[in-house]
Amino acid sequence: MNAEQSFITDKSKCQQSVLIVGGGPSGLATALMLAKRGWTDITVLEQRSTADYYEPDKSFNYLIDGRGQKFTDYLGITSNLPTIGVSTQEFSLTRIAPNGSIKSSKLPIVDPKRKTSYWITRKAFVRMLYQEAQNWQDCIKVLFNAKCVEINKITTNNQEDKLDVIAEVGKDNFVRFAPSLLIGCDGLRSLVRQTLAEWDTSGLNKFQMQLFPCDSAGLRYKVLSLPPQPILDHDGAEYAVSERAYIVLAALRHPQRYLRLGILPVKDPEEPRTANLTLPELEIRGFLLHGDSNEFTLSKHLDRMPYGCKSFYKNYLRGCHISISYIAAI
């Protein structure tokens, strides 16, 4: 057991204060796991106004499979998954061809012995974690509209280093924290990681972002928002069903594949849908962003798609900066 693990599991430390910067999935999950392990003074800082605040650029889906359910089992919330997510046991896919024809099919179950997985929107997942945190109010306090603005290290008279964290809670209301444990769950541009990198004198770049080779390495993730029930056909009579996935094929082809819009299922029929462009980053940059080049532009592709997608382009994408959202090719 390394030093970090022993600190977390040491029962004598559990009365000390914990400050978690970031109240998204990682921050709330960390707070809940610490509370389950006996920590009793946990504060979470979240700069958004509510737990289920809708952010178009984070409106993607999670697939909570058997591995993810080890976490929900630990918290005792796995029984909530069917009420907020779409089961893969009932998963169907609708393909929309360039001529507007629609074909639906139920995807086969590869291994019936595996645990049922669930497609869950990030918004619904964060809301579930926050609702569970409410059951731990004696241990967990979540502060919304709270942004960490400064992290300092102060040396006391007995030569011990103490943390001094300043957060803006609400407007122009600055609050100081002196946590024994500071955890950064504040995303890609983490102030906690940035501060630790500045303090690090080892020369090992332990707190620098690292790039590891994998299929999704280097992709810029950006989801494209649609209305809750986008139109699918030319006549405006066919609307998307919330619990069904869709693949919309373009008429014009990339040299190696069709351009596709992939739309994942959501449980709540009133929740906005998201479309994913299924091309690797290097291809999609030239494919979409360089309209003056000889390659096809996004508008030309969507103009060859069914009515609903052309409307989608006109209403949501025209004049916007487009970057890549990646899902596995189907």
Side-chain angles (χ1 to χ4, degrees):
M1 181 179 291
N2 60 37
E4 291 82 0
Q5 289 175 320
S6 62
F7 184 88
I8 294 296
T9 56
D10 187 347
K11 295 296 183 182
S12 66
K13 306 288 187 183
C14 291
Q15 303 302 315
Q16 298 184 20
S17 61
V18 181
L19 183 65
I20 300 173
V21 180
S26 298
L28 291 174
T30 301
L32 287 166
M33 294 188 74
L34 287 173
K36 286 279 286 186
R37 294 188 178 194
W39 290 73
T40 59
D41 185 7
I42 305 165
T43 301
V44 180
L45 303 179
E46 171 52 47
Q47 63 180 346
R48 306 293 183 242
S49 58
T50 62
D52 57 357
Y53 182 88
Y54 178 73
E55 299 175 85
D57 63 331
K58 294 181 181 178
S59 57
F60 38 78
N61 289 34
Y62 295 130
L63 181 64
I64 310 300
D65 58 10
R67 292 177 300 173
Q69 289 175 44
K70 290 181 180 179
F71 164 69
T72 57
D73 288 344
Y74 181 73
L75 295 181
I77 57 176
T78 302
S79 60
N80 295 337
L81 299 181
T83 63
I84 65 171
V86 178
S87 165
T88 55
Q89 300 285 345
E90 303 167 357
F91 192 75
S92 61
L93 177 68
T94 296
R95 292 175 182 264
I96 305 174
N99 63 5
S101 64
I102 298 174
K103 181 180 179 181
S104 298
S105 59
K106 186 173 181 179
L107 297 185
I109 299 172
V110 178
D111 184 357
K113 296 181 180 180
R114 294 182 66 177
K115 272 192 170 184
T116 300
S117 301
Y118 296 91
W119 285 108
I120 298 176
T121 63
R122 181 185 187 275
K123 177 182 176 181
F125 188 68
V126 173
R127 185 196 301 124
M128 178 182 69
L129 295 181
Y130 177 67
Q131 289 171 346
E132 179 62 19
Q134 292 295 92
N135 297 327
W136 295 85
Q137 291 187 57
D138 292 342
C139 306
I140 302 173
K141 179 190 297 183
V142 182
L143 301 179
F144 294 106
N145 295 309
K147 182 179 180 180
C148 181
V149 295
E150 190 174 336
I151 303 171
N152 299 303
K153 188 164 49 175
I154 299 175
T155 304
T156 62
N157 292 334
N158 57 0
Q159 300 303 305
E160 290 184 358
D161 289 333
K162 298 289 185 181
L163 287 170
D164 176 51
V165 181
I166 303 174
E168 184 178 11
V169 183
K171 186 175 181 179
D172 298 327
N173 177 35
F174 294 92
V175 180
R176 301 188 95 99
F177 298 87
S180 299
L181 176 62
L182 176 65
I183 301 176
C185 298
D186 46 340
L188 184 64
R189 297 173 180 82
S190 167
L191 178 61
V192 176
R193 182 173 58 244
Q194 176 185 326
T195 302
L196 290 173
E198 293 171 355
W199 291 352
D200 182 25
T201 58
S202 67
L204 300 176
N205 296 324
K206 294 187 294 183
F207 302 103
Q208 300 294 337
M209 294 287 288
Q210 302 292 324
L211 179 64
F212 296 96
C214 69
D215 290 341
S216 59
L219 295 181
R220 297 174 60 197
Y221 196 94
K222 182 73 173 179
V223 293
L224 310 175
S225 297
L226 293 100
Q229 296 178 319
I231 300 171
L232 300 178
D233 64 348
H234 294 287
D235 300 325
E238 184 84 17
Y239 290 83
V241 178
S242 64
E243 296 190 26
R244 181 171 293 172
Y246 296 87
I247 292 292
V248 185
L249 300 176
L252 297 176
R253 291 198 64 174
H254 180 270
Q256 297 180 346
R257 60 178 69 82
Y258 283 109
L259 176 67
R260 300 173 174 181
L261 291 182
I263 307 174
L264 292 174
V266 298
K267 189 72 171 182
D268 183 358
E270 301 301 320
E271 189 160 353
R273 304 296 292 271
T274 57
N276 303 269
L277 295 170
T278 57
L279 280 179
E281 180 191 29
L282 293 179
E283 295 178 11
I284 205 164
R285 280 182 175 174
F287 204 62
L288 302 182
L289 300 183
H290 302 299
D292 295 331
S293 69
N294 293 326
E295 298 185 81
F296 300 122
T297 63
L298 180 63
S299 60
K300 290 180 180 178
H301 273 275
L302 292 183
D303 282 342
R304 298 290 186 95
M305 287 183 170
Y307 169 78
C309 293
K310 289 191 288 184
S311 298
F312 164 59
Y313 169 72
K314 294 174 184 176
N315 294 334
Y316 294 91
L317 301 183
R318 192 181 296 276
C320 296
H321 173 76
I322 307 300
S323 56
I324 177 64
S325 170
Y326 178 85
I327 60 173
I330 297 179

